[in-house]
Amino acid sequence: KIATRAGDSRWITGDGARRYAHGLRATSDAIMAGINTIVADDPQLTARDDSGQPLDRQPLRVVVDSRGRLPGKATLLSQPGRTLVAVAGVDSSTCARIESSGADVERVPATDGLVDLVELVRRLGSERDITSLLVEGGGALLGSLFDRGLVDKVVAFVAPTIIGGLGAVSPVGGVGVETLADALRLERVEVLRFGGDLAIVGYC
């Protein structure tokens, strides 16, 4: 699970794992999260040093927000660096509201009423020179990316903590597979240890 059934997710892993995650952010061109994660956790989505201070270079923050629900007081809007909000099928007034909060807006065609992730990733690469995109979820966004074959590397942190709960959020949602024979098996797998936490690193 990536949160309890009540939505509590701070903190599942320890300091060492979080430092490693910030290193991943620091070396990425962009970091992506879905609007549900933004609303639930209000994250900064910044790369920070060991003392918690933002680094000079920040990855582009990309929020997948099909309906334009980004709160005007979201913490990430006041952080250093730029924020790009990907929307689909919203009106001009909604785009203007988001832009007035300091973010850029990318209108993307809709697929099943949601941002077309294939097109969004294509634009990030071809129009914004994004070659390394770190996606931090949540489960719905990650599941959609896996369903569309848009993931090429996985870094999965595992903490020795049992959360449980049918209503608690799982790390990967989406359609998924029907049989284990169809499941995605990672290759070139490496396991890193941070105290009691593990990171399973592999390629799709």
Side-chain angles (χ1 to χ4, degrees), residues 92 127-128 151 162 169:
S92 298
E127 299 175 10
R128 296 179 180 269
V151 180
I162 306 301
V169 183

Side-chain angles (χ1 to χ4, degrees), residues 121-177:
V121 169
R122 186 197 67 78
R123 291 187 188 183
L124 289 173
S126 65
E127 299 175 10
R128 296 179 180 269
D129 296 325
I130 301 297
T131 60
S132 55
L133 173 64
L134 176 66
V135 183
E136 293 196 12
L141 176 59
L142 288 173
S144 295
L145 290 165
F146 275 109
D147 288 343
R148 289 159 177 78
L150 294 173
V151 180
D152 58 11
K153 182 179 180 180
V154 172
V155 181
F157 291 96
V158 181
T161 305
I162 306 301
I163 294 175
L166 291 175
V169 183
S170 295
V172 180
V175 176
V177 298

Side-chain angles (χ1 to χ4, degrees), residues 2-135:
I2 57 175
T4 69
R5 58 187 171 86
D8 185 20
S9 62
R10 296 185 181 178
W11 295 104
I12 294 176
T13 55
D15 292 340
R18 291 199 295 275
R19 280 195 298 271
Y20 184 81
H22 277 286
L24 295 175
R25 288 182 179 184
T27 57
S28 299
D29 294 330
I31 176 172
M32 178 186 285
I35 186 60
N36 291 334
T37 295
I38 304 303
V39 171
D41 297 342
D42 194 25
Q44 298 178 48
L45 289 189
T46 53
R48 300 187 293 276
D49 62 22
D50 289 346
S51 63
Q53 296 303 307
L55 301 177
D56 291 337
R57 177 194 173 278
Q58 290 294 324
L60 173 69
R61 293 181 291 273
V62 181
V63 179
V64 180
D65 184 12
S66 299
R67 295 288 168 261
R69 297 189 291 128
L70 181 69
K73 294 184 178 180
T75 297
L76 59 82
L77 294 171
S78 62
Q79 301 304 304
R82 299 295 303 170
T83 299
L84 177 70
V85 181
V87 300
V90 302
D91 56 31
S92 298
S93 63
T94 299
C95 292
R97 177 187 62 78
I98 295 172
E99 289 172 336
S100 69
S101 68
D104 299 321
V105 174
E106 183 77 26
R107 289 182 181 231
V108 183
T111 299
D112 298 326
L114 301 174
V115 166
D116 184 329
L117 293 173
V118 174
E119 175 62 14
L120 173 59
V121 169
R122 186 197 67 78
R123 291 187 188 183
L124 289 173
S126 65
E127 299 175 10
R128 296 179 180 269
D129 296 325
I130 301 297
T131 60
S132 55
L133 173 64
L134 176 66
V135 183

